[in-house]
Amino acid sequence: MSPFKKTKQYSYYWLLLGIFILAGESSAGGISVDAGLTPAENRWMIRVQSRQMGATSQPSTPTRQMKMQAKVFMAAYGLRPNVTLIGMQGLMNREMTMMGAVNESSGLADLNLLIKYLIHRTNTRHQTLGIAATTKFTLPTGEDGFSDDYWSFTPGVYLSLRRGTWAMDASTTFRIQDIFSQQDAMNSGWEYTLDGAIARQLPLDGLKNIALAPVFEINLLIDQGDQSSSAEVSDAESVVFLSPGFKYTYGSLILESLVQVPIWEKIPTTSLEKDTRWRIGFRFMF
Amino acid sequence: MNKYKLIVILVIVAILLMSCGSKPESALPEAWADRGEIRVYEVFGMDCPGCHGGLEKQLNALEGVADSKADWTSQQVMVLIDSGVEVSDANIHEGMKRANFTPGKRLK
């Protein structure tokens, strides 16, 4: 039996590792979803996604590894043509290995509530341009080990351009953690994301309700986790993902998959390096 | 990181992105025959097959509209109006706007 499982210090370390991974997973890509274009009034969309991710210790440090699978459920409703309400809930399963000891746990993550407001949209014969702003609140409803235990606020701006069968999306968000200062002796962290995506809708021959769209994304994530107020050096982590994928649309059903490959990473020596991530899921609109 | 794998992935995605799609022709639904007036409108803003559902839902909710069929590739929507019912173009246009699309010309 490893003492690792019993000590408070390691439990805290595990918890921190898990929350850092969770924080990073709350954004970082998967944006080619008409983000700057709000859906029609009175239209519902449900989205289910399975995300596989992991992180491994750097070669110069003791062996540690984390694997996580998240099932994310999302419901969106077009309240008005320019206002969309979105709710998002994740169910997490995490396996952490450290010095041969394995700890596996699962539970509900924090609930995310979003409002998306369409700032501008023009539709012409040749192109569609949409710009939308979002405000996201993260509520500390998750189970122990899967919750930040505080409220966070994430404003964002999304831009979508459609030209013929080409689709381009860009977005940027800034997450402000612990907006009500619920943590003692801690400096609240933040998270910045910048994403770009390009895709092309390829209508399949003679089938006007079916299209295949190769997708290519690039995602930047800078994550400054919560730090002890006595910490003197920032432990912010930065990572860039290149992400090829596809969307297959059959009427109101969309199947989607994405592989996120970390191509550049700047992290403290004690942090884990992010592994390649996978996302697969579907969307249905009605 | 295996750079060669990444290059292969990039090349495959580029080939798929550059490949050509075709534009299928719009066809009149058979079930519409002799059921009422059929109108065809241009509508701008549809960018994928999933878009037509939102537009059709808005148009079908209009008084006097029996059915509608949208085609994102031709940027057109066909609207079946119930026999003997007056539905103005302005009402149809309003339905298009609620779906976040922009009305074009009435073609038929």
PDB file of all heavy atoms in Angstrom, chain B residues 18-52:
ATOM      1  N   MET B  18      -9.954  21.484 -50.017  1.00  0.00           N
ATOM      2  CA  MET B  18      -9.876  22.013 -51.382  1.00  0.00           C
ATOM      3  C   MET B  18     -10.768  21.241 -52.359  1.00  0.00           C
ATOM      4  O   MET B  18     -11.005  21.699 -53.472  1.00  0.00           O
ATOM      5  CB  MET B  18      -8.435  21.960 -51.898  1.00  0.00           C
ATOM      6  CG  MET B  18      -7.474  22.817 -51.091  1.00  0.00           C
ATOM      7  SD  MET B  18      -8.000  24.528 -50.918  1.00  0.00           S
ATOM      8  CE  MET B  18      -7.945  25.040 -52.635  1.00  0.00           C
ATOM      9  N   SER B  19     -11.233  20.057 -51.954  1.00  0.00           N
ATOM     10  CA  SER B  19     -12.035  19.272 -52.891  1.00  0.00           C
ATOM     11  C   SER B  19     -13.367  19.953 -53.144  1.00  0.00           C
ATOM     12  O   SER B  19     -13.832  20.767 -52.371  1.00  0.00           O
ATOM     13  CB  SER B  19     -12.258  17.867 -52.341  1.00  0.00           C
ATOM     14  OG  SER B  19     -12.949  17.947 -51.129  1.00  0.00           O
ATOM     15  N   CYS B  20     -13.972  19.600 -54.282  1.00  0.00           N
ATOM     16  CA  CYS B  20     -15.155  20.340 -54.718  1.00  0.00           C
ATOM     17  C   CYS B  20     -16.439  19.659 -54.267  1.00  0.00           C
ATOM     18  O   CYS B  20     -16.545  18.452 -54.223  1.00  0.00           O
ATOM     19  CB  CYS B  20     -15.180  20.456 -56.234  1.00  0.00           C
ATOM     20  SG  CYS B  20     -13.839  21.467 -56.836  1.00  0.00           S
ATOM     21  N   GLY B  21     -17.427  20.475 -53.965  1.00  0.00           N
ATOM     22  CA  GLY B  21     -18.767  19.977 -53.705  1.00  0.00           C
ATOM     23  C   GLY B  21     -19.667  20.334 -54.865  1.00  0.00           C
ATOM     24  O   GLY B  21     -19.367  21.219 -55.645  1.00  0.00           O
ATOM     25  N   SER B  22     -20.809  19.642 -54.997  1.00  0.00           N
ATOM     26  CA  SER B  22     -21.730  19.952 -56.077  1.00  0.00           C
ATOM     27  C   SER B  22     -22.970  20.622 -55.508  1.00  0.00           C
ATOM     28  O   SER B  22     -23.245  20.546 -54.329  1.00  0.00           O
ATOM     29  CB  SER B  22     -22.136  18.665 -56.786  1.00  0.00           C
ATOM     30  OG  SER B  22     -22.790  17.824 -55.875  1.00  0.00           O
ATOM     31  N   LYS B  23     -23.721  21.296 -56.354  1.00  0.00           N
ATOM     32  CA  LYS B  23     -24.938  21.959 -55.925  1.00  0.00           C
ATOM     33  C   LYS B  23     -26.143  21.247 -56.519  1.00  0.00           C
ATOM     34  O   LYS B  23     -26.425  21.389 -57.701  1.00  0.00           O
ATOM     35  CB  LYS B  23     -24.934  23.420 -56.378  1.00  0.00           C
ATOM     36  CG  LYS B  23     -23.979  24.283 -55.587  1.00  0.00           C
ATOM     37  CD  LYS B  23     -24.275  25.732 -55.820  1.00  0.00           C
ATOM     38  CE  LYS B  23     -23.487  26.614 -54.871  1.00  0.00           C
ATOM     39  NZ  LYS B  23     -23.909  28.003 -54.940  1.00  0.00           N
ATOM     40  N   PRO B  24     -26.859  20.452 -55.709  1.00  0.00           N
ATOM     41  CA  PRO B  24     -28.008  19.755 -56.245  1.00  0.00           C
ATOM     42  C   PRO B  24     -29.156  20.707 -56.579  1.00  0.00           C
ATOM     43  O   PRO B  24     -29.277  21.779 -55.993  1.00  0.00           O
ATOM     44  CB  PRO B  24     -28.405  18.816 -55.112  1.00  0.00           C
ATOM     45  CG  PRO B  24     -27.850  19.431 -53.882  1.00  0.00           C
ATOM     46  CD  PRO B  24     -26.638  20.188 -54.293  1.00  0.00           C
ATOM     47  N   GLU B  25     -30.002  20.301 -57.518  1.00  0.00           N
ATOM     48  CA  GLU B  25     -31.143  21.112 -57.928  1.00  0.00           C
ATOM     49  C   GLU B  25     -32.271  21.000 -56.912  1.00  0.00           C
ATOM     50  O   GLU B  25     -32.475  19.975 -56.288  1.00  0.00           O
ATOM     51  CB  GLU B  25     -31.649  20.603 -59.288  1.00  0.00           C
ATOM     52  CG  GLU B  25     -30.654  20.795 -60.418  1.00  0.00           C
ATOM     53  CD  GLU B  25     -30.458  22.253 -60.768  1.00  0.00           C
ATOM     54  OE1 GLU B  25     -31.453  22.988 -60.780  1.00  0.00           O
ATOM     55  OE2 GLU B  25     -29.316  22.653 -61.007  1.00  0.00           O
ATOM     56  N   SER B  26     -33.031  22.097 -56.754  1.00  0.00           N
ATOM     57  CA  SER B  26     -34.226  22.040 -55.922  1.00  0.00           C
ATOM     58  C   SER B  26     -35.317  21.293 -56.668  1.00  0.00           C
ATOM     59  O   SER B  26     -35.449  21.420 -57.877  1.00  0.00           O
ATOM     60  CB  SER B  26     -34.709  23.453 -55.623  1.00  0.00           C
ATOM     61  OG  SER B  26     -33.717  24.169 -54.952  1.00  0.00           O
ATOM     62  N   ALA B  27     -36.120  20.508 -55.953  1.00  0.00           N
ATOM     63  CA  ALA B  27     -37.214  19.778 -56.587  1.00  0.00           C
ATOM     64  C   ALA B  27     -38.494  20.037 -55.820  1.00  0.00           C
ATOM     65  O   ALA B  27     -38.475  20.208 -54.605  1.00  0.00           O
ATOM     66  CB  ALA B  27     -36.897  18.284 -56.598  1.00  0.00           C
ATOM     67  N   LEU B  28     -39.607  20.081 -56.540  1.00  0.00           N
ATOM     68  CA  LEU B  28     -40.900  20.323 -55.912  1.00  0.00           C
ATOM     69  C   LEU B  28     -41.362  19.051 -55.196  1.00  0.00           C
ATOM     70  O   LEU B  28     -41.394  17.972 -55.795  1.00  0.00           O
ATOM     71  CB  LEU B  28     -41.908  20.687 -57.012  1.00  0.00           C
ATOM     72  CG  LEU B  28     -43.216  21.305 -56.557  1.00  0.00           C
ATOM     73  CD1 LEU B  28     -42.988  22.664 -55.934  1.00  0.00           C
ATOM     74  CD2 LEU B  28     -44.160  21.406 -57.739  1.00  0.00           C
ATOM     75  N   PRO B  29     -41.713  19.132 -53.894  1.00  0.00           N
ATOM     76  CA  PRO B  29     -42.196  17.930 -53.198  1.00  0.00           C
ATOM     77  C   PRO B  29     -43.478  17.406 -53.839  1.00  0.00           C
ATOM     78  O   PRO B  29     -44.394  18.187 -54.112  1.00  0.00           O
ATOM     79  CB  PRO B  29     -42.465  18.446 -51.781  1.00  0.00           C
ATOM     80  CG  PRO B  29     -41.686  19.702 -51.661  1.00  0.00           C
ATOM     81  CD  PRO B  29     -41.627  20.299 -53.018  1.00  0.00           C
ATOM     82  N   GLU B  30     -43.544  16.098 -54.083  1.00  0.00           N
ATOM     83  CA  GLU B  30     -44.709  15.503 -54.765  1.00  0.00           C
ATOM     84  C   GLU B  30     -45.994  15.706 -53.969  1.00  0.00           C
ATOM     85  O   GLU B  30     -47.072  15.897 -54.533  1.00  0.00           O
ATOM     86  CB  GLU B  30     -44.472  13.996 -54.966  1.00  0.00           C
ATOM     87  CG  GLU B  30     -43.474  13.692 -56.068  1.00  0.00           C
ATOM     88  CD  GLU B  30     -43.267  12.185 -56.225  1.00  0.00           C
ATOM     89  OE1 GLU B  30     -44.096  11.415 -55.726  1.00  0.00           O
ATOM     90  OE2 GLU B  30     -42.256  11.813 -56.841  1.00  0.00           O
ATOM     91  N   ALA B  31     -45.876  15.649 -52.652  1.00  0.00           N
ATOM     92  CA  ALA B  31     -47.069  15.753 -51.805  1.00  0.00           C
ATOM     93  C   ALA B  31     -47.734  17.127 -51.902  1.00  0.00           C
ATOM     94  O   ALA B  31     -48.849  17.308 -51.424  1.00  0.00           O
ATOM     95  CB  ALA B  31     -46.686  15.462 -50.364  1.00  0.00           C
ATOM     96  N   TRP B  32     -47.070  18.096 -52.514  1.00  0.00           N
ATOM     97  CA  TRP B  32     -47.622  19.451 -52.596  1.00  0.00           C
ATOM     98  C   TRP B  32     -48.574  19.633 -53.784  1.00  0.00           C
ATOM     99  O   TRP B  32     -49.240  20.651 -53.867  1.00  0.00           O
ATOM    100  CB  TRP B  32     -46.484  20.469 -52.714  1.00  0.00           C
ATOM    101  CG  TRP B  32     -45.743  20.701 -51.444  1.00  0.00           C
ATOM    102  CD1 TRP B  32     -45.762  19.948 -50.311  1.00  0.00           C
ATOM    103  CD2 TRP B  32     -44.864  21.788 -51.185  1.00  0.00           C
ATOM    104  NE1 TRP B  32     -44.937  20.475 -49.363  1.00  0.00           N
ATOM    105  CE2 TRP B  32     -44.362  21.612 -49.864  1.00  0.00           C
ATOM    106  CE3 TRP B  32     -44.417  22.882 -51.917  1.00  0.00           C
ATOM    107  CZ2 TRP B  32     -43.462  22.501 -49.283  1.00  0.00           C
ATOM    108  CZ3 TRP B  32     -43.521  23.767 -51.337  1.00  0.00           C
ATOM    109  CH2 TRP B  32     -43.047  23.569 -50.027  1.00  0.00           C
ATOM    110  N   ALA B  33     -48.582  18.689 -54.686  1.00  0.00           N
ATOM    111  CA  ALA B  33     -49.348  18.867 -55.924  1.00  0.00           C
ATOM    112  C   ALA B  33     -50.811  19.189 -55.617  1.00  0.00           C
ATOM    113  O   ALA B  33     -51.466  18.503 -54.834  1.00  0.00           O
ATOM    114  CB  ALA B  33     -49.250  17.592 -56.758  1.00  0.00           C
ATOM    115  N   ASP B  34     -51.305  20.266 -56.217  1.00  0.00           N
ATOM    116  CA  ASP B  34     -52.719  20.677 -56.119  1.00  0.00           C
ATOM    117  C   ASP B  34     -53.187  20.981 -54.692  1.00  0.00           C
ATOM    118  O   ASP B  34     -54.376  20.902 -54.394  1.00  0.00           O
ATOM    119  CB  ASP B  34     -53.636  19.593 -56.727  1.00  0.00           C
ATOM    120  CG  ASP B  34     -53.247  19.272 -58.167  1.00  0.00           C
ATOM    121  OD1 ASP B  34     -52.850  20.220 -58.875  1.00  0.00           O
ATOM    122  OD2 ASP B  34     -53.312  18.095 -58.554  1.00  0.00           O
ATOM    123  N   ARG B  35     -52.270  21.287 -53.791  1.00  0.00           N
ATOM    124  CA  ARG B  35     -52.699  21.572 -52.414  1.00  0.00           C
ATOM    125  C   ARG B  35     -52.830  23.068 -52.138  1.00  0.00           C
ATOM    126  O   ARG B  35     -53.338  23.463 -51.099  1.00  0.00           O
ATOM    127  CB  ARG B  35     -51.720  20.965 -51.406  1.00  0.00           C
ATOM    128  CG  ARG B  35     -51.935  19.471 -51.198  1.00  0.00           C
ATOM    129  CD  ARG B  35     -51.014  18.938 -50.133  1.00  0.00           C
ATOM    130  NE  ARG B  35     -51.163  19.631 -48.841  1.00  0.00           N
ATOM    131  CZ  ARG B  35     -50.296  19.539 -47.845  1.00  0.00           C
ATOM    132  NH1 ARG B  35     -49.206  18.816 -47.994  1.00  0.00           N
ATOM    133  NH2 ARG B  35     -50.503  20.181 -46.721  1.00  0.00           N
ATOM    134  N   GLY B  36     -52.319  23.882 -53.035  1.00  0.00           N
ATOM    135  CA  GLY B  36     -52.414  25.324 -52.816  1.00  0.00           C
ATOM    136  C   GLY B  36     -51.382  26.057 -53.640  1.00  0.00           C
ATOM    137  O   GLY B  36     -50.732  25.486 -54.518  1.00  0.00           O
ATOM    138  N   GLU B  37     -51.211  27.327 -53.314  1.00  0.00           N
ATOM    139  CA  GLU B  37     -50.248  28.159 -54.051  1.00  0.00           C
ATOM    140  C   GLU B  37     -48.825  27.836 -53.597  1.00  0.00           C
ATOM    141  O   GLU B  37     -48.573  27.706 -52.398  1.00  0.00           O
ATOM    142  CB  GLU B  37     -50.550  29.634 -53.764  1.00  0.00           C
ATOM    143  CG  GLU B  37     -49.613  30.609 -54.468  1.00  0.00           C
ATOM    144  CD  GLU B  37     -49.743  32.036 -53.945  1.00  0.00           C
ATOM    145  OE1 GLU B  37     -50.581  32.269 -53.043  1.00  0.00           O
ATOM    146  OE2 GLU B  37     -49.000  32.900 -54.425  1.00  0.00           O
ATOM    147  N   ILE B  38     -47.940  27.722 -54.575  1.00  0.00           N
ATOM    148  CA  ILE B  38     -46.540  27.465 -54.235  1.00  0.00           C
ATOM    149  C   ILE B  38     -45.706  28.695 -54.599  1.00  0.00           C
ATOM    150  O   ILE B  38     -45.768  29.172 -55.728  1.00  0.00           O
ATOM    151  CB  ILE B  38     -46.006  26.226 -54.980  1.00  0.00           C
ATOM    152  CG1 ILE B  38     -46.735  24.969 -54.494  1.00  0.00           C
ATOM    153  CG2 ILE B  38     -44.495  26.075 -54.758  1.00  0.00           C
ATOM    154  CD1 ILE B  38     -46.463  23.733 -55.317  1.00  0.00           C
ATOM    155  N   ARG B  39     -45.001  29.190 -53.631  1.00  0.00           N
ATOM    156  CA  ARG B  39     -44.133  30.353 -53.865  1.00  0.00           C
ATOM    157  C   ARG B  39     -42.672  29.938 -53.645  1.00  0.00           C
ATOM    158  O   ARG B  39     -42.383  29.033 -52.848  1.00  0.00           O
ATOM    159  CB  ARG B  39     -44.465  31.484 -52.898  1.00  0.00           C
ATOM    160  CG  ARG B  39     -45.871  32.019 -53.037  1.00  0.00           C
ATOM    161  CD  ARG B  39     -46.039  33.183 -52.065  1.00  0.00           C
ATOM    162  NE  ARG B  39     -47.441  33.548 -51.936  1.00  0.00           N
ATOM    163  CZ  ARG B  39     -47.888  34.392 -51.013  1.00  0.00           C
ATOM    164  NH1 ARG B  39     -47.039  34.953 -50.155  1.00  0.00           N
ATOM    165  NH2 ARG B  39     -49.173  34.691 -50.942  1.00  0.00           N
ATOM    166  N   VAL B  40     -41.797  30.649 -54.334  1.00  0.00           N
ATOM    167  CA  VAL B  40     -40.359  30.409 -54.158  1.00  0.00           C
ATOM    168  C   VAL B  40     -39.681  31.746 -53.841  1.00  0.00           C
ATOM    169  O   VAL B  40     -39.905  32.742 -54.537  1.00  0.00           O
ATOM    170  CB  VAL B  40     -39.727  29.791 -55.425  1.00  0.00           C
ATOM    171  CG1 VAL B  40     -38.228  29.560 -55.207  1.00  0.00           C
ATOM    172  CG2 VAL B  40     -40.410  28.472 -55.783  1.00  0.00           C
ATOM    173  N   TYR B  41     -38.917  31.773 -52.777  1.00  0.00           N
ATOM    174  CA  TYR B  41     -38.202  32.984 -52.359  1.00  0.00           C
ATOM    175  C   TYR B  41     -36.705  32.699 -52.282  1.00  0.00           C
ATOM    176  O   TYR B  41     -36.297  31.593 -51.936  1.00  0.00           O
ATOM    177  CB  TYR B  41     -38.635  33.425 -50.965  1.00  0.00           C
ATOM    178  CG  TYR B  41     -40.076  33.827 -50.829  1.00  0.00           C
ATOM    179  CD1 TYR B  41     -41.060  32.874 -50.563  1.00  0.00           C
ATOM    180  CD2 TYR B  41     -40.459  35.162 -50.933  1.00  0.00           C
ATOM    181  CE1 TYR B  41     -42.382  33.242 -50.406  1.00  0.00           C
ATOM    182  CE2 TYR B  41     -41.783  35.543 -50.779  1.00  0.00           C
ATOM    183  CZ  TYR B  41     -42.737  34.577 -50.517  1.00  0.00           C
ATOM    184  OH  TYR B  41     -44.055  34.941 -50.366  1.00  0.00           O
ATOM    185  N   GLU B  42     -35.948  33.738 -52.556  1.00  0.00           N
ATOM    186  CA  GLU B  42     -34.523  33.693 -52.215  1.00  0.00           C
ATOM    187  C   GLU B  42     -34.402  33.987 -50.725  1.00  0.00           C
ATOM    188  O   GLU B  42     -35.160  34.796 -50.189  1.00  0.00           O
ATOM    189  CB  GLU B  42     -33.749  34.772 -52.971  1.00  0.00           C
ATOM    190  CG  GLU B  42     -33.446  34.434 -54.413  1.00  0.00           C
ATOM    191  CD  GLU B  42     -32.597  35.518 -55.042  1.00  0.00           C
ATOM    192  OE1 GLU B  42     -32.879  36.714 -54.825  1.00  0.00           O
ATOM    193  OE2 GLU B  42     -31.648  35.169 -55.749  1.00  0.00           O
ATOM    194  N   VAL B  43     -33.459  33.351 -50.070  1.00  0.00           N
ATOM    195  CA  VAL B  43     -33.201  33.665 -48.658  1.00  0.00           C
ATOM    196  C   VAL B  43     -31.704  33.485 -48.408  1.00  0.00           C
ATOM    197  O   VAL B  43     -31.110  32.492 -48.819  1.00  0.00           O
ATOM    198  CB  VAL B  43     -34.071  32.785 -47.730  1.00  0.00           C
ATOM    199  CG1 VAL B  43     -33.872  31.312 -47.986  1.00  0.00           C
ATOM    200  CG2 VAL B  43     -33.809  33.105 -46.274  1.00  0.00           C
ATOM    201  N   PHE B  44     -31.131  34.474 -47.753  1.00  0.00           N
ATOM    202  CA  PHE B  44     -29.677  34.482 -47.563  1.00  0.00           C
ATOM    203  C   PHE B  44     -29.313  34.242 -46.093  1.00  0.00           C
ATOM    204  O   PHE B  44     -29.990  34.722 -45.196  1.00  0.00           O
ATOM    205  CB  PHE B  44     -29.093  35.817 -48.028  1.00  0.00           C
ATOM    206  CG  PHE B  44     -29.450  36.147 -49.444  1.00  0.00           C
ATOM    207  CD1 PHE B  44     -30.048  37.354 -49.773  1.00  0.00           C
ATOM    208  CD2 PHE B  44     -29.227  35.228 -50.462  1.00  0.00           C
ATOM    209  CE1 PHE B  44     -30.381  37.654 -51.079  1.00  0.00           C
ATOM    210  CE2 PHE B  44     -29.559  35.515 -51.777  1.00  0.00           C
ATOM    211  CZ  PHE B  44     -30.155  36.730 -52.083  1.00  0.00           C
ATOM    212  N   GLY B  45     -28.230  33.513 -45.897  1.00  0.00           N
ATOM    213  CA  GLY B  45     -27.733  33.269 -44.531  1.00  0.00           C
ATOM    214  C   GLY B  45     -27.649  31.794 -44.170  1.00  0.00           C
ATOM    215  O   GLY B  45     -27.051  31.445 -43.161  1.00  0.00           O
ATOM    216  N   MET B  46     -28.262  30.926 -44.981  1.00  0.00           N
ATOM    217  CA  MET B  46     -28.159  29.487 -44.690  1.00  0.00           C
ATOM    218  C   MET B  46     -26.774  29.001 -45.127  1.00  0.00           C
ATOM    219  O   MET B  46     -26.361  29.262 -46.246  1.00  0.00           O
ATOM    220  CB  MET B  46     -29.233  28.700 -45.442  1.00  0.00           C
ATOM    221  CG  MET B  46     -30.628  28.923 -44.916  1.00  0.00           C
ATOM    222  SD  MET B  46     -31.825  27.800 -45.667  1.00  0.00           S
ATOM    223  CE  MET B  46     -31.963  28.452 -47.309  1.00  0.00           C
ATOM    224  N   ASP B  47     -26.085  28.305 -44.241  1.00  0.00           N
ATOM    225  CA  ASP B  47     -24.721  27.900 -44.589  1.00  0.00           C
ATOM    226  C   ASP B  47     -24.471  26.411 -44.390  1.00  0.00           C
ATOM    227  O   ASP B  47     -23.348  25.951 -44.551  1.00  0.00           O
ATOM    228  CB  ASP B  47     -23.702  28.708 -43.783  1.00  0.00           C
ATOM    229  CG  ASP B  47     -23.812  28.472 -42.293  1.00  0.00           C
ATOM    230  OD1 ASP B  47     -24.688  27.702 -41.879  1.00  0.00           O
ATOM    231  OD2 ASP B  47     -23.015  29.050 -41.552  1.00  0.00           O
ATOM    232  N   CYS B  48     -25.489  25.663 -44.033  1.00  0.00           N
ATOM    233  CA  CYS B  48     -25.300  24.217 -43.862  1.00  0.00           C
ATOM    234  C   CYS B  48     -26.663  23.530 -43.932  1.00  0.00           C
ATOM    235  O   CYS B  48     -27.695  24.196 -43.809  1.00  0.00           O
ATOM    236  CB  CYS B  48     -24.603  23.910 -42.548  1.00  0.00           C
ATOM    237  SG  CYS B  48     -25.668  24.118 -41.123  1.00  0.00           S
ATOM    238  N   PRO B  49     -26.670  22.197 -44.104  1.00  0.00           N
ATOM    239  CA  PRO B  49     -27.961  21.504 -44.204  1.00  0.00           C
ATOM    240  C   PRO B  49     -28.811  21.664 -42.941  1.00  0.00           C
ATOM    241  O   PRO B  49     -30.034  21.593 -43.014  1.00  0.00           O
ATOM    242  CB  PRO B  49     -27.555  20.043 -44.400  1.00  0.00           C
ATOM    243  CG  PRO B  49     -26.182  20.075 -44.939  1.00  0.00           C
ATOM    244  CD  PRO B  49     -25.542  21.285 -44.331  1.00  0.00           C
ATOM    245  N   GLY B  50     -28.170  21.866 -41.806  1.00  0.00           N
ATOM    246  CA  GLY B  50     -28.927  21.991 -40.562  1.00  0.00           C
ATOM    247  C   GLY B  50     -29.723  23.285 -40.457  1.00  0.00           C
ATOM    248  O   GLY B  50     -30.621  23.399 -39.624  1.00  0.00           O
ATOM    249  N   CYS B  51     -29.386  24.266 -41.303  1.00  0.00           N
ATOM    250  CA  CYS B  51     -30.039  25.580 -41.208  1.00  0.00           C
ATOM    251  C   CYS B  51     -31.499  25.545 -41.640  1.00  0.00           C
ATOM    252  O   CYS B  51     -32.307  26.350 -41.180  1.00  0.00           O
ATOM    253  CB  CYS B  51     -29.319  26.598 -42.074  1.00  0.00           C
ATOM    254  SG  CYS B  51     -27.666  26.965 -41.527  1.00  0.00           S
ATOM    255  N   HIS B  52     -31.815  24.641 -42.564  1.00  0.00           N
ATOM    256  CA  HIS B  52     -33.156  24.694 -43.152  1.00  0.00           C
ATOM    257  C   HIS B  52     -34.242  24.437 -42.108  1.00  0.00           C
ATOM    258  O   HIS B  52     -35.341  24.966 -42.200  1.00  0.00           O
ATOM    259  CB  HIS B  52     -33.263  23.673 -44.296  1.00  0.00           C
ATOM    260  CG  HIS B  52     -33.321  22.259 -43.829  1.00  0.00           C
ATOM    261  ND1 HIS B  52     -32.186  21.518 -43.584  1.00  0.00           N
ATOM    262  CD2 HIS B  52     -34.356  21.461 -43.501  1.00  0.00           C
ATOM    263  CE1 HIS B  52     -32.535  20.323 -43.155  1.00  0.00           C
ATOM    264  NE2 HIS B  52     -33.839  20.260 -43.100  1.00  0.00           N
TER     265      HIS B  52
END
